[in-house]
Amino acid sequence: MALNQAKWFPPSQTAPKPVLKVYNTLTRQKEQFVPIHGNIVKWYNCGPTVYDASHMGHARNYVTQDILRRIMEDYFGYDVHLVMNITDIDDKIILRARHQHLIEGLKKENPLLTDELIDLTQGAWDKYFKSKVLKSIPSEELEAQPSHIPAQWQYVQARTSDPSWLQGALQRDEKFSMHVATLETSFSALETARMSMNVGSTSETNALSLIENSKDPLALVLDEKLKHTVSDPAIFRALAAYWEDSFMADMARLRVKPPTTLTRVTDYVEEIVTFVEKIIANGFAYSGEDGNVWFDTAAFDGSTREGLEHKHEYAKLAPWSKGNKNLLAEGEGALTSYSTKKSAEDFALWKASKPGEPSWPSPWGPGRPGWHIECSVMASDILGDQMDLHSGGIDLLFPHHDNELAQAEAYFNSNQWVNYFLHTGHLHIAGLKMSKSLKNFITIEEMLQNWSPRQIRLSFVSQLWNSRLDWNESLQAEVKSRETAFDNFFVQTRALVSEWDAAPTPQNGTWKHTKDEKALTAELHRSQHAFRVALCDSFNTPQALQVLLDLVSYTNVYLKRGRSSTNIDVVRHVAGWITKMLRMFGLGEGPPNEIGWGTSPVTGEDVEADEAVLMPYLRVLSMFRDEVRRKARAGVSYTEFLELTDSLRDDTLVPLGVALDDQEDGKALVKLMPPSALIKAREEKKAALAAKAAQKAASKAAAEKQALAKLERGKLSPEEMFKPPNVPEGTYSEWDAKGLPILDANGEEISKAQSKKLGKLWEEQAKKHEVWLKHLKEQAAKPQEDS
């Protein structure tokens, strides 16, 4: 007889698994993420232009991109190939390197302060003032003022104190305040230099001070006269290499993972030339007689080619920005020549090099790549003709990223070079976007003096990756509060888990799964689902972080039931998952079974290191043992042993970072905490106790003073209370044996009513006097008792 396989019923989901959707700047909405090649994700991230120190705006971009990358790799499990470039050929780099070189030359040529140096600086100041500041003031407003420069400068200084006037100037030129600040610094340096010359102080220090504080105006004048003399390529490469190393060091300190592939423009010049040649061959670029090569936006936009499914589109990301002269000019750079450009919207693929600029050979003559072409070439070389993700700051939206798309799609004759574009939001401080060009940035080095890398990263996790982030006191307080909440949770759970693992089962808890353990497990499962939902919702890290904080709060409530009733294994599981998720964001690292932020694991055995760590604790244990033995031999009372244990807890262990937290079952819970935190808590407790004791002493003294005042009312004998000088002379003329008045001042007998009243007063004073005499007797006896 044949046996049939039992029927199997396919399971049905009660809650479908969330799918990842990302906000795609190409569509301005959240789209389901579908990689091109299975589990592999090809990703290009625009790297820095290296000409100055990295600032918090860079941290916002690159730490945020690192968070997204870690989510993709360590949470969703994708195999990410991340390419990032270093822009080491650029107008900003050329200008900065040239200016620095010329300023250094000026310092060497002027070892002493001279009238000629002062005159040169004053001329540079005047030219800077005219070209950078006066151009931002309406001509009709200037015409109403005196034409000489000192009067105009006084006028500008006075007007900048008017917020509405200054706002108008900033709308005309966002760098207006920076230029005024530059002139103020130089003006002050010029005044100091002239005073130094008047007293004959012409030292090298004074000369250097004038040059350093006036370097921006001086650099413009020197560059205009001497730029053609700066021809050594090493000058430009040295500046870029220095700031590239600085950027990489900053990223390492912020725990940003290095890219899978790092590219530099200087390594790709030949490939860029070949790429440009093909764009020209495809009919989307043209070269001018001056050696510049331009992308032909008119030829590209709306064009069709054989094999192309749809028409080409220019400015896919920001079509509203087409024709924006300011953005286009900023994208081209300060050194670009426009003489052979057909249309204002065309952009440079190759720039002919002028004297004082680095150059490479090309079919169009010596030159260098345009800014936008570099990313199209390097990304395509590594990732091919299409990629999954492209990311960068929102400020690169147009024209940089739109031009990248146009170049690559013109080269490959395709419609979609990038499937998903991710743009991170700006970071603002005091309402202003940070910018190197505006010189209003806080460097990463400066920020790390007050903030840990974890706190900086936690602030970015706390905000949506593609929204504006305002770095203000409210955010800073929120971040520190959240970090403290996780700190306290990890300290408590680590201590409980450590004790659970060290003690014999089941002395330190329970293995039971009551309704409370089941509820905690259910809350963990709910949190895990909510966490995934948040991250699938276009990497909603603030919501995901709140899920973790809510689970911490729920678990803390469970722990309040007491150690003996707590299933530590369930707590371990919860804390382990929270640890894993925080480390997934890049907020910590360490062994996988470790709870908390973690530290880098130490491999191998190191006896000296073990001794350095263990010896302070072993000495405390030994000294405590010695003191216990000494007291036991002396036969002291048990209270002295209790005082010894209190001293161990409050004094000896605190500097070692050990907290003993007395529990309801009589056993202390051992916690490891930063010594500074324990010392601070101890001192605050001591201060509170001292304040309480002082208040108690003050209350006691006040009460004693009040009691003494009450006693002193009985000093007066009742026999004397109605006699002068205790009453006015002549109030009464005769008294009885007890001192009670019989006759008044006129010799008339005291009335019965008055006599009764006076008698009552006499009786009250007699009682007080009796108490007073008793007090005196007690005080007199005290010295005898003390002796």
Side-chain angles (χ1 to χ4, degrees):
M1 179 179 176
L3 296 176
N4 295 325
Q5 183 73 39
K7 183 175 179 59
W8 179 76
F9 301 93
S12 58
Q13 288 186 323
T14 57
K17 182 179 179 180
V19 296
L20 174 61
K21 292 185 176 182
V22 300
Y23 184 84
N24 188 359
T25 319
L26 284 164
T27 63
R28 298 275 157 182
Q29 63 184 17
K30 296 172 185 176
E31 306 285 359
Q32 182 173 341
F33 180 69
V34 181
I36 302 167
H37 304 285
N39 204 54
I40 296 171
V41 174
K42 295 182 177 182
W43 186 344
Y44 183 81
N45 186 30
C46 274
T49 301
V50 283
Y51 70 99
D52 206 338
S54 305
H55 56 64
M56 280 299 291
H58 293 113
R60 164 62 169 161
N61 182 41
Y62 294 107
V63 173
T64 298
Q65 297 293 346
D66 184 69
I67 293 167
L68 300 187
R69 177 189 179 184
R70 288 170 182 268
I71 293 171
M72 293 290 279
E73 290 180 332
D74 301 335
Y75 187 77
F76 290 115
Y78 287 111
D79 300 313
V80 174
H81 185 160
L82 180 70
V83 179
M84 189 183 79
N85 71 295
I86 296 291
T87 297
D88 56 355
I89 304 174
D90 184 79
D91 288 16
K92 296 185 181 77
I93 296 172
I94 294 169
L95 284 170
R96 179 64 61 85
R98 210 160 65 194
H99 289 177
Q100 283 189 3
H101 178 75
L102 293 172
I103 288 293
E104 289 304 314
L106 183 65
K107 290 177 180 178
K108 292 177 182 177
E109 293 167 4
N110 290 271
L112 298 175
L113 184 64
T114 62
D115 289 327
E116 289 77 11
L117 178 60
I118 293 175
D119 291 342
L120 174 66
T121 307
Q122 183 63 61
W125 190 98
D126 292 349
K127 191 164 188 176
Y128 192 96
F129 178 59
K130 290 177 183 177
S131 63
K132 302 294 186 183
V133 173
L134 293 186
K135 71 170 187 177
S136 299
I137 302 174
S139 56
E140 60 273 14
E141 184 178 345
L142 276 179
E143 289 169 1
Q145 306 303 320
S147 59
H148 57 286
I149 288 178
Q152 291 175 328
W153 173 237
Q154 288 180 353
Y155 175 74
V156 170
Q157 285 186 302
R159 295 297 282 146
T160 52
S161 62
D162 180 351
S164 60
W165 186 90
L166 181 59
Q167 187 60 37
L170 288 169
Q171 288 175 353
R172 291 184 288 273
D173 181 4
E174 64 178 356
K175 299 180 182 179
F176 183 82
S177 292
M178 181 195 77
H179 293 321
V180 171
T182 297
L183 288 166
E184 286 175 340
T185 301
S186 179
F187 188 87
S188 177
L190 277 163
E191 288 186 323
T192 301
R194 289 192 177 98
M195 287 189 290
S196 297
M197 285 295 294
N198 289 338
V199 297
S201 179
T202 61
S203 68
E204 182 181 9
T205 301
N206 290 336
L208 290 176
S209 177
L210 176 59
I211 295 172
E212 187 63 30
N213 287 302
S214 304
K215 61 185 178 183
D216 286 350
L218 283 167
L220 293 181
V221 171
L222 294 172
D223 193 66
E224 186 176 339
K225 294 179 180 178
L226 303 171
K227 60 185 175 185
H228 64 280
T229 65
V230 185
S231 57
D232 185 358
I235 294 172
F236 307 101
R237 182 61 199 136
L239 177 84
Y242 175 84
W243 289 117
E244 178 186 336
D245 290 344
S246 174
F247 170 81
M248 290 301 187
D250 284 340
M251 292 303 102
R253 294 172 71 185
L254 293 174
R255 300 194 67 252
V256 173
K257 294 167 69 174
T260 315
T261 304
L262 182 70
T263 62
R264 294 180 187 84
V265 184
T266 49
D267 297 329
Y268 268 85
V269 176
E270 289 184 12
E271 289 84 351
I272 289 171
V273 169
T274 302
F275 204 94
V276 172
E277 286 181 312
K278 185 174 178 181
I279 294 176
I280 294 174
N282 287 349
F284 297 123
Y286 58 92
S287 60
E289 294 178 357
D290 57 0
N292 288 326
V293 180
W294 303 93
F295 187 89
D296 193 336
T297 55
F300 177 79
D301 198 15
S303 66
T304 58
R305 290 290 188 274
E306 184 180 349
L308 194 65
E309 187 175 351
H310 303 284
K311 292 181 179 181
H312 283 305
E313 293 180 77
Y314 177 63
K316 290 180 176 182
L317 293 165
W320 54 86
S321 293
K322 281 201 290 189
N324 186 315
K325 293 181 180 179
N326 291 333
L327 291 176
L328 288 167
E330 187 177 345
E332 290 306 292
L335 300 176
T336 303
S337 172
Y338 299 94
S339 59
T340 58
K341 191 176 181 181
K342 291 180 183 179
S343 167
E345 293 187 10
D346 295 348
F347 55 89
L349 300 177
W350 183 265
K351 297 180 180 182
S353 291
K354 300 180 289 295
E357 299 175 6
S359 66
W360 287 261
S362 81
W364 317 285
R368 53 194 173 85
W371 176 34
H372 314 296
I373 192 67
E374 61 183 59
C375 290
S376 297
V377 175
M378 291 185 287
S380 298
D381 181 64
I382 304 298
L383 301 177
D385 61 358
Q386 192 176 40
M387 71 184 75
D388 298 296
L389 294 173
H390 191 317
S391 58
I394 190 65
D395 54 318
L396 300 179
L397 189 71
F398 183 90
H400 185 57
H401 285 160
D402 266 325
N403 289 353
E404 275 189 58
L405 287 171
Q407 293 163 158
E409 290 168 7
Y411 178 88
F412 291 113
N413 193 33
S414 65
N415 285 123
Q416 191 158 292
W417 182 54
V418 174
N419 287 341
Y420 303 89
F421 241 115
L422 311 180
H423 286 97
T424 54
H426 280 309
L427 184 141
H428 287 236
I429 292 183
L432 297 175
K433 183 193 84 172
M434 280 200 294
S435 166
K436 285 183 182 177
S437 60
L438 295 177
K439 296 185 180 179
N440 68 335
F441 60 89
I442 299 173
T443 66
I444 292 173
E445 173 71 29
E446 291 167 341
M447 186 60 75
L448 286 173
Q449 292 174 11
N450 299 308
W451 285 77
S452 70
R454 180 189 301 138
Q455 290 169 335
I456 293 173
R457 183 174 288 256
L458 188 57
S459 70
F460 298 154
V461 173
S462 299
Q463 304 291 313
L464 288 173
W465 60 273
N466 58 344
S467 66
R468 164 176 159 170
L469 188 149
D470 289 298
W471 188 270
N472 51 38
E473 291 184 0
S474 175
L475 173 63
Q476 295 167 25
E478 180 184 5
V479 167
K480 291 184 177 179
S481 173
R482 288 177 168 181
E483 184 183 39
T484 299
F486 285 120
D487 281 341
N488 293 339
F489 175 72
F490 288 143
V491 166
Q492 180 77 356
T493 54
R494 273 201 309 268
L496 290 169
V497 168
S498 176
E499 185 181 64
W500 170 278
D501 291 340
T505 304
Q507 289 187 7
N508 52 358
T510 177
W511 288 98
K512 290 183 179 179
H513 276 71
T514 66
K515 63 179 181 61
D516 292 331
E517 283 74 34
K518 292 174 183 177
L520 179 56
T521 301
E523 183 64 17
L524 170 62
H525 294 163
R526 188 202 66 77
S527 299
Q528 289 170 328
H529 178 73
F531 190 85
R532 179 170 288 272
V533 168
L535 293 188
C536 284
D537 184 21
S538 191
F539 312 114
N540 191 333
T541 56
Q543 183 59 42
L545 188 65
Q546 190 58 52
V547 169
L548 300 181
L549 287 165
D550 291 344
L551 182 57
V552 165
S553 298
Y554 192 97
T555 310
N556 285 337
V557 172
Y558 170 79
L559 292 173
K560 288 181 179 179
R561 61 189 287 169
R563 178 169 54 185
S564 59
S565 303
T566 299
N567 188 321
I568 305 301
D569 225 31
V570 177
V571 174
R572 184 207 305 270
H573 191 45
V574 171
W577 180 74
I578 293 173
T579 294
K580 185 178 178 181
M581 294 305 99
L582 289 174
R583 292 185 184 181
M584 180 270 297
F585 286 140
L587 292 165
E589 63 180 4
N593 295 328
E594 183 184 59
I595 291 174
W597 305 113
T599 56
S600 298
V602 178
T603 58
E605 294 184 357
D606 188 340
V607 176
E608 291 182 0
D610 290 343
E611 182 177 294
V613 171
L614 293 174
M615 193 55 71
Y617 302 92
L618 297 176
R619 288 198 186 100
V620 166
L621 178 62
S622 177
M623 287 188 291
F624 181 77
R625 175 178 177 273
D626 294 342
E627 191 63 16
V628 168
R629 294 177 71 202
R630 187 187 67 78
K631 288 182 178 294
R633 288 169 178 164
V636 301
S637 67
Y638 76 92
T639 57
E640 289 197 32
F641 286 104
L642 293 178
E643 289 171 358
L644 181 62
T645 60
D646 288 345
S647 177
L648 177 71
R649 178 195 61 199
D650 299 334
D651 300 319
T652 313
L653 292 177
V654 164
L656 298 176
V658 178
L660 299 182
D661 191 357
D662 293 332
Q663 301 289 299
E664 82 287 348
D665 59 3
K667 300 176 183 177
L669 180 63
V670 181
K671 299 179 181 180
L672 292 178
M673 298 179 66
S676 57
L678 291 177
I679 291 171
K680 182 181 179 183
R682 181 184 67 186
E683 297 309 315
E684 287 175 349
K685 182 179 179 181
K686 285 183 177 180
L689 290 174
K692 185 176 180 180
Q695 185 179 10
K696 185 176 180 181
S699 298
K700 182 180 178 182
E704 289 175 350
K705 184 177 180 181
Q706 186 177 5
L708 183 61
K710 185 176 180 182
L711 281 170
E712 286 181 342
R713 295 193 203 110
K715 259 185 175 183
L716 183 63
S717 169
E719 286 83 3
E720 301 296 322
M721 67 181 295
F722 298 115
K723 296 178 182 178
N726 301 308
V727 296
E729 190 74 38
T731 303
Y732 306 107
S733 59
E734 189 175 346
W735 299 264
D736 65 10
K738 294 171 60 177
L740 282 166
I742 300 173
L743 302 177
D744 63 14
N746 300 321
E748 294 181 0
E749 190 174 348
I750 300 294
S751 67
K752 289 184 178 180
Q754 187 178 7
S755 179
K756 184 176 180 181
K757 181 179 179 182
L758 293 174
K760 188 175 180 181
L761 292 173
W762 190 95
E763 291 293 339
E764 290 176 356
Q765 185 61 25
K767 291 178 181 178
K768 293 177 183 178
H769 190 61
E770 183 178 354
V771 173
W772 170 253
L773 293 175
K774 183 180 179 182
H775 169 70
L776 291 179
K777 186 176 180 181
E778 289 172 351
Q779 291 298 110
K782 270 189 178 181
Q784 297 176 1
E785 292 173 359
D786 292 343
S787 61

